[in-house]
Amino acid sequence: MSNGRSIGLIAGSLVALVAVAIVIVMLADRRQPQEFAVGSPEATVQTYLKAWDAGDLETAYSSFSEAARQRITFDDYVATSKLWRESRGGDVRETVYIDRSTIDGSRATIYLVVETTYGSGLEVNTYRDQREISLELEDGAWRIADALVFLDLARDYMVYEEG
Amino acid sequence: MDTVRRLYLYAMSAVSLAVLAVGAQALLTVALHGLGLRGVPVFGGDPGDRQALSLAIALVGVGLPVWAIHWWLVERSVRRGADAEAERRAGIRAFYLSAVLAVFILVAAIAAMSLVRIVVSRLMPLSDDYYGYEDLAGTISTLFVVAAGWALHAQTRRVDVAGGELHGGAAWLPRLYRYVVTFFGLVIFAQGLGEIAKVAIVYVSGTSSPDAIYGGGYAYQLRQALPAAIVGLAAWVSHAWASDRVAASDGWHGASEQTSRIRLGYWPLVIAVAAFASIMSLAGGLAVLLGQVLGTITELSASLAVQIAAAAAAAVPWLAIWWLHGRWGRDAASATGDPGRRTFAARLDRHVGAAVGLAFGAIATGWLVGVLIDVVLGGSRTVGDGWRHELSQFLAWAVLGLPLWIWNWSRLLALRQADPAGEASSAVRRAYLLLAIGVAIVSTLGSLAIVLYRLVGYLLGAGLGGNAVSELSTPLGALIAAAAIVVYHGLQLRSDGELRPAAAEAAAPVAAPLTAAVPPAAMAAEDTAARISLELRGPTGADLEATLAMLRGVLPEGQTLAEG
């Protein structure tokens, strides 16, 4: 193959790839978030995350197990959530994927992949991280075993009054 | 094309190719993400893909035209025009192609290892998995883009080679790339395979915790070792096969490959590294055994047999590489039918083994002598149990290193006895002796500095404190071992030097006619003729040429006068 033809083939392939990528990204944006069976551990985590994102802390708090709620009152949870949001800073976006889950009797573990994006434009940075959430079966419903602020443990951010 | 223009074109091609490759990789990654390779999110939007797509299009939009124009100009100058041949043979071009191939293969190897890890983690999921979040789409894209770039440049090189003979950098730079990749592929493969063998031994033994041998679980260790073994094997086999194919080919490329110094140097390098790694692995197991005997290890995290078997298993790939390369080298030399090459191969093999054995043996001996000095002179190094751990480690090195050296060196001494002049004039032997002396001298520098520091400190009344015997025993031990090496090898070198002039004189009558292209028949007649040497002298300004001509005119038939 001649020099000009091989360069032309490469250029043509890349232009075609650009067109295909644009179409795929446009179509992918129309996709709805993944839905899970009602009552499954995954659905509990999704409900919690949606509530957290919407600022509905009551629903988020109700996703925790009885033992977890005894360790932190709702008022403390609200204060801790506020502190967490303040410490997080702006211009951070997270996308959460469920990697896999395991169920062992009345305990379940959900393994998440969290894609965090900072900044914008040419300053944008993305990194991927893995988290796991433990759940317990309570009265036939799956509850998150530890109180969380987003995906972090709430106790790591709790404010303790002096004295 | 002048050098400056050539440099400009290749530099621009390199920079724009990098921009283009990054853009193409990002573009493909975004497309694969869109196709669902990353999964569907349960939370959060995904504006990142649009941003990544914008950036990818920008990079491709900038990189593609700049690269296409410059690469087209480069290739046009090689394939057409009066200077085409000079361009094809340019060292800069060979350097560019070798560097691009090396960078692409390095990135491909990293991406391929990542891909294998992802596959293994899907098959053997772990909690708290460091590798679990590697981006599959990004890895596949990287692999695809660099593979395409590598293939394009490898094909360009193939066309250059097919165009006719290449010399200098144009010939050896791409060869260096091939052997460097072959070497590192082999090292990574052997290391990975050794780790897999270790894990297998621990697993089969039924040891409850794989942490007994090292941190992490079976799955974690396999996830580390398997990608290295697979990718290393692929890099080693593919590049070694390519080199062998070139060496077996007819024409200039095959001939150039067969006589290449890089190819020749690769062989002893692999043998040396394999010998080194084998001893390191085996010494690990032996140190555990000696630790038990000396009572330094009271609690074993796994049974003694398992720990020794695991160390031996890790050494097996290296031992196999050592043996195989030794055999391949000797077979290749034998295949030429040249006894000289056979001797050279055997000599090289033995000297490399001797050098590695000497290195381990000398370090261990230096340490052991140091401890002995400490004990005899009442130092404090043997207080406590720490020194026993070191003792088992260095004893293991001595037990493995010294026999290796003695085994090889005794055979080399036998060779020297059989052919003193031949061995004395051997470049391999001289290189070994000088290397041993040089490394020994360099290694004594630190020890000498410590000894002088203590001595000067004592003379100046600096009050350095500490136990002088204990601080000096290690450097003194090292100095004694190094001095022994320098003296012994120096004497060997001197003895060789005394034999060498005689050997050179004996070789001279053969070498001179060969360089003067005298027919062998004439050489034979010349060697059997009776002769005496004369010297013609005269006063300043005398015409000696005329006298010589006159003398030649009166010589009897069959006799000649030749100028020396």
Side-chain angles (χ1 to χ4, degrees):
Chain A
M1 191 185 294
S2 75
N3 177 31
R5 276 182 67 188
S6 62
I7 291 173
L9 190 68
I10 292 165
S13 305
L14 282 167
V15 170
L17 182 60
V18 167
V20 168
I22 290 171
V23 171
I24 288 172
V25 169
M26 294 300 172
L27 290 175
D29 270 7
R30 295 183 185 176
R31 261 201 308 243
Q32 295 299 312
Q34 197 171 355
E35 293 296 335
F36 297 95
V38 178
S40 65
E42 290 89 346
T44 301
V45 171
Q46 192 171 35
T47 304
Y48 161 73
L49 285 170
K50 279 180 180 171
W52 170 266
D53 190 45
D56 180 3
L57 293 182
E58 278 183 39
T59 306
Y61 187 73
S62 68
S63 304
F64 304 143
S65 67
E66 181 63 33
R69 276 180 284 157
Q70 280 178 3
R71 285 194 290 269
I72 183 168
T73 64
F74 180 68
D75 289 343
D76 282 345
Y77 182 66
V78 172
T80 305
S81 302
K82 192 178 168 208
L83 188 71
W84 184 90
R85 285 185 197 277
E86 284 169 2
S87 68
R88 180 169 168 260
D91 212 10
V92 181
R93 301 173 299 282
E94 282 103 353
T95 306
V96 181
Y97 303 86
I98 290 184
D99 186 38
R100 61 200 157 87
S101 59
T102 56
I103 298 177
D104 182 14
S106 61
R107 297 194 68 85
T109 307
I110 305 285
Y111 297 92
L112 304 170
V113 173
V114 183
E115 204 171 81
T116 309
T117 307
Y118 293 94
S120 58
L122 290 173
E123 298 294 318
V124 73
N125 282 300
T126 301
Y127 75 90
R128 291 162 73 83
D129 192 8
Q130 192 186 45
R131 305 285 182 91
E132 57 181 81
I133 297 180
S134 299
L135 296 101
E136 293 168 353
L137 195 59
E138 272 184 8
D139 304 327
W142 287 101
R143 303 270 181 235
I144 296 169
D146 277 302
L148 301 174
V149 282
F150 186 50
L151 295 171
D152 297 325
L153 290 172
R155 61 171 177 265
D156 292 344
Y157 289 85
M158 273 177 72
V159 184
Y160 296 98
E161 287 181 19
E162 286 185 24
Chain B
M1 196 196 302
D2 62 90
T3 306
V4 175
R5 184 166 183 265
R6 194 179 287 149
L7 274 173
Y8 161 78
L9 283 177
Y10 283 109
M12 287 301 294
S13 297
V15 172
S16 54
L17 180 64
V19 173
L20 182 60
V22 171
Q25 191 273 350
L27 202 57
L28 202 54
T29 303
V30 169
L32 292 176
H33 280 167
L35 288 172
L37 209 56
R38 185 175 43 177
V40 181
V42 289
F43 169 78
D46 208 7
D49 273 354
R50 286 193 181 207
Q51 286 185 4
L53 180 62
S54 311
L55 187 61
I57 291 172
L59 290 173
V60 171
V62 171
L64 180 59
V66 177
W67 175 79
I69 290 167
H70 286 84
W71 190 242
W72 180 76
L73 286 171
V74 164
E75 286 301 282
R76 192 184 64 161
S77 69
V78 174
R79 311 294 170 218
R80 283 204 318 228
D83 292 337
E85 193 55 15
E87 288 309 313
R88 190 181 66 85
R89 294 180 174 200
I92 293 171
R93 177 176 176 80
F95 174 77
Y96 173 81
L97 290 175
S98 308
V100 168
L101 289 173
V103 170
F104 276 144
I105 205 84
L106 177 67
V107 178
I110 293 168
M113 283 204 248
S114 174
L115 185 62
V116 177
R117 260 198 307 270
I118 291 170
V119 172
V120 176
S121 33
R122 289 285 178 269
L123 297 173
M124 291 184 285
L126 274 181
S127 61
D128 193 21
D129 184 2
Y130 176 78
Y131 293 110
Y133 51 85
E134 277 182 312
D135 184 11
L136 180 61
T139 303
I140 291 173
S141 305
T142 304
L143 208 50
F144 183 82
V145 169
V146 295
W150 187 92
L152 173 75
H153 290 82
Q155 176 59 23
T156 305
R157 172 66 187 172
R158 265 194 291 275
V159 174
D160 283 5
V161 167
E165 191 163 0
L166 296 167
H167 300 282
W172 68 260
L173 278 166
R175 183 178 297 136
L176 182 66
Y177 150 79
R178 232 187 304 122
Y179 282 94
V180 166
V181 174
T182 308
F183 175 74
F184 282 108
L186 180 63
V187 169
I188 293 168
F189 163 65
Q191 198 65 27
L193 195 61
E195 285 300 314
I196 291 170
K198 237 163 126 177
V199 173
I201 291 285
V202 178
Y203 184 77
V204 168
S205 74
T207 302
S208 56
S209 166
D211 296 357
I213 303 293
Y214 32 64
Y218 297 117
Y220 180 79
Q221 292 300 330
L222 270 183
R223 199 170 296 196
Q224 303 277 70
L226 211 55
I230 292 172
V231 174
L233 179 68
W236 169 46
V237 169
S238 60
H239 285 72
W241 173 77
S243 294
D244 286 347
R245 217 175 62 146
V246 171
S249 66
D250 296 328
W252 76 269
H253 205 197
S256 165
E257 186 80 11
Q258 285 161 20
T259 55
S260 144
R261 285 181 185 174
I262 292 172
R263 187 176 172 83
L264 179 67
Y266 169 80
W267 181 58
L269 177 69
V270 169
I271 291 177
V273 170
F276 176 84
S278 300
I279 292 181
M280 282 299 279
S281 293
L282 291 172
L286 191 55
V288 175
L289 179 66
L290 290 169
Q292 281 274 289
V293 173
L294 296 168
T296 58
I297 301 173
T298 50
E299 284 184 26
L300 283 171
S301 45
S303 78
L304 182 66
V306 171
Q307 297 218 28
I308 292 172
V316 167
W318 288 111
L319 287 167
I321 287 166
W322 186 1
W323 181 75
L324 277 174
H325 279 75
R327 197 180 139 183
W328 288 340
R330 286 190 297 275
D331 286 353
S334 296
T336 62
D338 177 359
R341 290 190 79 160
R342 268 207 305 272
T343 308
F344 177 80
R347 193 183 278 149
L348 196 57
D349 192 11
R350 294 268 177 227
H351 277 99
V352 169
V356 174
L358 182 63
F360 277 100
I363 293 170
T365 305
W367 190 90
L368 293 170
V369 170
V371 167
L372 199 63
I373 291 170
D374 196 78
V375 170
V376 170
L377 298 181
S380 59
R381 277 176 62 191
T382 51
V383 175
D385 276 341
W387 73 281
R388 288 176 192 269
H389 288 284
E390 290 184 82
L391 180 65
S392 52
Q393 179 64 60
F394 284 111
L395 267 179
W397 285 16
V399 166
L400 293 168
L402 289 175
L404 178 65
W405 177 69
I406 291 167
W407 182 53
N408 283 292
W409 190 244
S410 60
R411 274 152 183 78
L412 287 165
L413 287 178
L415 272 178
R416 191 175 184 278
Q417 210 164 10
D419 178 17
E423 285 301 307
S425 57
S426 149
V428 175
R429 179 180 165 84
R430 203 151 61 245
Y432 164 79
L433 292 174
L434 287 170
L435 183 75
I437 293 169
V439 172
I441 289 173
V442 168
S443 67
T444 60
L445 295 178
S447 303
L448 270 174
I450 295 172
V451 172
L452 277 174
Y453 164 71
R454 291 295 310 196
L455 188 64
V456 174
Y458 173 74
L459 291 173
L460 296 176
L464 296 176
N467 187 321
V469 171
S470 293
E471 285 190 17
L472 287 175
S473 59
T474 302
L476 280 175
L479 280 174
I480 290 168
I485 289 172
V486 170
V487 168
Y488 178 73
H489 290 83
L491 287 172
Q492 292 284 326
L493 203 61
R494 199 173 74 169
S495 165
D496 286 357
E498 285 165 0
L499 279 172
R500 215 171 296 127
E505 273 175 32
V510 180
L514 278 175
T515 52
V518 177
M523 274 168 57
E526 192 94 357
D527 286 346
T528 54
R531 72 185 77 178
I532 54 166
S533 297
L534 302 170
E535 189 178 22
L536 183 62
R537 293 185 188 181
T540 310
D543 188 357
L544 296 179
E545 289 293 328
T547 310
L548 193 59
M550 186 193 75
L551 289 171
R552 278 175 176 153
V554 297
L555 283 173
E557 194 177 340
Q559 295 185 19
T560 57
L561 256 181
E563 287 180 66

